[in-house]
Structures are given as C-alpha cells and as structure tokens.
C-alpha cells in the first residue's frame, strides 16, 4: 500500500516502512479496491477487512525539558493529552503508563487514567546519576509521548582521590601520572567549576598549575615534580576545596643515580699484624643531592698490603651504608684502603696502621 500527495505525487507512506511487518497488506481479494472513508482506508483481503488510519497521539502538553538536581522531584508535572487526530475527540479513562526505561527515577503515580479533557499527569523524581533522560507516556493503540529531562549534580559533599595515588619517581622528576582529585555530590556525581588547591606541605616539589578548577566530570588534575629530597611523601601532598574535607596523596621520592662515596667511620685505626680492626670500615653512597642510594656495589682494596676483608664487594643497604671488617696482614706499616662504588668516579679512603 502506497499513499501519495494528490497534488505532487510525493510519497507519504508505504506499508513496508513500519518495523516487524506491522502494516503489511495480506493477500488481496480479487478486484478489491481501497475505499477511503471517515479518515481511514479500508481494504478487503482474502480473509479479512484491513483498516489503515492515523494513530491517535499522546501529545506532550507540559513538563518536558526540565532540569533539576539528582534525586529531586521535577517542579512541573509531566502531562500528556490523548487526541483522536481525525475526529478530534478525547478519550476519558484511557490508561496511560509513564516510564523512564528502568533508569532509576520514580513516577507518582506511574499509571494514570485520562480525565474529562483526555489528559493524564504525574510527578517525576529524577535518578541519582546526573544525565539526560528520555521518558515516555504510552497507551495501547496510541503513539507515545516523549519527554526529555536533565538531572544535574547536587551540592558538593566530598573530595576523593580519583587517580595518581601511590606513585614514585626520582628526585627532580615528574611523577608518572597526574594527581587527580574528584569533587562529588552525595551520590558520586562529579561537580564542575570547583576550585581545588594542592600542596606538598613544604616538601619542595612543584605543581604544573595550582589551584585547579574541576572539569565537566568533576576532576581536578595536576602534574607534580618531585624536589631534591628523597623519601616518603605519605600524607604530605594534599588537595583541598572550600567546605570539603581535605584529601591526602601518598607518594614516594626515590634517590637519583649514585654520584658520590664517602668514608663514614673506621678511619685512623691501628692493630697488630693478623688482627681484625676493632671497628668496621663504613662508607656511604649518595646521589648528587646527598640522598642515600641503596643497592650499589662497593669494592674495598688495600693496595696489595695483604690484609683481608669480611666481604668484598658488598652492596649498600637501605641507608646507603656499606660496612666490612678488615683483618691486617703480617706486615707492619701504614695501610691505605680505597673504597669504590659502581657508577661513581670518586673514591673513599681509609688510613690504618699495622704495628
């Protein structure tokens, strides 16, 4: 079945355009011609009489296009009117069902009977998630009425660490990822336009920008470059916003490459031949800023004097110290011991006396 504009012959409708074959014409009766009457098209088929006509419509007459805070009730009721397009009559007592497709909002009530004007209305409470929502009002045999409503975030209530926590980086180096705080309402929706201020409580690092305004998702993001001091920044980096509890980030600054070795203790001792020194020889390895560097291999050498070391080489511990015991040789005299570390150009020296 085709319907065309009588003046222009422009196509208005075909019975094949509706989904799932809803309007398909059954096998026609022989010599049966379509008849137009009372706003409908009547077609005789081999087994039935098929009637085509305009669907009556549930027209939206109020409440669409509103915006309110999540979980709040829209101020204007949602209202539709049922109208028969051809006769312009209105049905009384037609059951209209309102739905948001299971998005989490509520209607009060969800099912309404049309009144003397063919109208039905309800109040709608928005879901807890900020978003735009499409709502429908439907009734059997009627084209549905469509509403579009918007739920915006409620007041800011919390500041949470969205990402960037528990990172580490060497001194004077940016952390691998940004520090991101999220401003949320009571339902976890992000709030834009909130000023968030970051601080490292005097640790000496720098932020790429500060303060930061939260974006459309409620996220306030900065990059952080560590200072020259290695160590744990546990709870030192904070994010704050007016009226909200502050937020803590836990980051770690690791030392830079080893660049220096120095004698800490054990220098200037004396002992008889073939005797262990009373104190161990201790060195410390640091980076260019004086931070202790652990895990560096240290080698001791007495220049061929013939003494022995309890361990050689040895790795620096967590405090960057490397400690060995030295046993003198059988020969009396002055002994110079050099300590060298992997990747370090300088040496640490000890002077001992065998007597």
């Amino acid at each position: 079945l085709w319907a065309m504009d009588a003046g222009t012959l422009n196509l208005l409708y075909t019975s094949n355009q509706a989904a799932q074959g809803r309007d398909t014409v059954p096998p026609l009766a022989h010599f049966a011609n379509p008849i137009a009457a009372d706003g409908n098209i009547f077609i005789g088929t081999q087994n039935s009489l098929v009637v085509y006509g305009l669907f009556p419509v549930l027209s939206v007459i109020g409440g669409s296009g509103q915006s309110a805070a999540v979980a709040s009730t829209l101020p204007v009721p949602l209202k539709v009117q049922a109208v028969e397009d051809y006769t312009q009559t209105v049905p009384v007592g037609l059951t209209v069902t309102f739905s948001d497709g299971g998005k989490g909002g509520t209607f009060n009530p969800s099912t309404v009977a049309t009144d003397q004007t063919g109208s039905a209305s309800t109040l709608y409470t928005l879901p807890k998630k900020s978003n735009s929502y499409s709502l429908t009002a439907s009734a059997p045999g009627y084209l549905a009425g469509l509403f579009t409503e918007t739920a915006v975030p409620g007041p800011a209530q919390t500041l949470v660490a969205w990402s960037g926590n528990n990172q580490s980086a060497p001194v004077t180096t940016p952390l691998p990822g940004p520090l991101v705080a999220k401003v949320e309402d009571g339902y976890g929706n992000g709030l834009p336009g909130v000023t968030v201020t970051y601080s490292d409580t005097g640790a000496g690092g720098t932020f790429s920008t500060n303060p930061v305004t939260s974006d459309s998702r409620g996220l306030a993001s900065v990059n952080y470059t560590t200072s020259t001091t290695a160590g744990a920044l546990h709870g030192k980096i904070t994010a704050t916003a007016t009226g909200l509890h502050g937020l803590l980030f836990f980051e770690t600054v690791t030392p830079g490459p080893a660049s220096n070795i120095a004698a800490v203790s054990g220098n200037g001792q004396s002992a008889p031949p073939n005797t262990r020194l009373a104190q161990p020889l201790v060195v410390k390895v640091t980076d260019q800023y004086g931070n202790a560097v652990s895990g560096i291999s240290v080698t001791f050498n007495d220049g061929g004097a013939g003494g022995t070391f309890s361990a050689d080489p040895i790795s620096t511990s967590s405090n960057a110290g490397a400690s060995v015991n030295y046993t003198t040789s059988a020969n009396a005299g002055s002994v110079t011991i050099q300590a060298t570390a992997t990747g370090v150009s300088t040496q640490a020296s000890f002077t001992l006396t065998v007597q």
Side-chain angles (χ1 to χ4, degrees):
L1 178 66
W2 290 19
M4 301 184 192
D5 184 290
T8 65
L9 293 186
N10 288 333
L11 182 65
L12 301 176
Y13 162 84
T14 78
S15 57
N16 292 328
Q17 69 189 40
Q20 298 177 341
R22 183 196 67 188
D23 297 350
T24 301
V25 184
L28 296 178
H30 194 52
F31 297 124
N33 293 319
I35 298 174
D38 296 329
N40 295 311
I41 303 296
F42 298 85
I43 299 178
T45 75
Q46 294 179 7
N47 298 304
S48 62
L49 175 65
V50 177
V51 183
Y52 290 84
L54 295 176
F55 271 119
V57 178
L58 290 178
S59 299
V60 173
I61 59 175
S64 186
Q66 298 182 77
S67 178
V70 291
S72 67
T73 301
L74 293 174
V76 178
L78 312 184
K79 190 173 184 179
V80 294
Q81 185 179 38
V83 178
E84 296 281 356
D85 281 338
Y86 185 72
T87 64
Q88 293 299 301
T89 58
V90 295
V92 177
L94 177 69
T95 299
V96 177
T97 301
F98 292 88
S99 173
D100 66 0
K103 297 301 189 297
T106 57
F107 296 91
N108 184 24
S110 60
T111 302
V112 188
T114 55
D115 60 18
Q116 296 297 322
T117 67
S119 301
S121 64
T122 186
L123 293 173
Y124 181 65
T125 299
L126 292 161
K128 297 177 181 179
K129 181 177 177 58
S130 59
N131 209 339
S132 292
Y133 294 94
S134 295
L135 318 179
T136 61
S138 59
Y142 282 75
L143 291 179
L146 302 179
F147 300 83
T148 300
E149 316 295 355
T150 302
V152 298
Q157 291 199 9
T158 56
L159 195 62
V160 299
W162 183 254
S163 65
N165 217 345
N166 297 311
Q167 300 183 81
S168 66
V171 290
T172 66
T173 303
L175 291 175
L179 308 180
V180 185
K182 184 181 180 184
V183 184
E184 295 182 343
D185 66 7
Y187 301 104
N189 299 295
L191 276 84
V194 178
T195 299
V196 178
T197 302
Y198 286 87
S199 171
D200 67 359
T201 320
T206 57
F207 297 95
S208 56
T209 182
N210 199 24
V212 185
T213 301
S214 60
D215 62 17
S216 60
R217 296 184 295 164
L219 303 180
S221 174
V222 297
N223 292 299
Y224 179 73
T225 300
T226 61
S227 69
T228 59
T229 303
L233 296 179
H234 288 184
K236 288 188 175 182
I237 298 181
T238 64
T240 57
T242 302
L244 304 179
H245 288 294
L247 172 66
L248 301 179
F249 287 86
F250 297 84
E251 316 295 352
T252 302
V253 183
T254 58
S259 64
N260 186 53
I261 184 172
V264 176
S265 61
N267 193 25
Q269 297 182 77
S270 63
N274 300 314
T275 303
R276 174 180 285 192
L277 295 177
Q279 298 178 9
L281 308 181
V282 181
V283 297
K284 184 176 184 179
V285 179
T286 59
D287 65 10
Q288 62 176 317
Y289 303 108
N291 298 294
V293 184
S294 62
I296 302 299
S297 179
V298 177
T299 301
F300 292 85
N301 189 315
D302 66 359
T308 59
F309 299 95
S310 57
D312 191 35
I314 187 171
S315 294
T316 55
S317 62
S318 58
N319 64 2
S323 173
V324 298
N325 291 297
Y326 180 70
T327 300
T328 61
S329 68
N331 302 315
S334 178
V335 178
T336 297
I337 296 177
Q338 303 286 355
T340 59
T342 301
V344 179
S345 59
T346 59
Q347 297 179 336
S349 296
F350 298 87
T351 301
L352 311 174
T353 301
V354 181
Q355 57 184 17

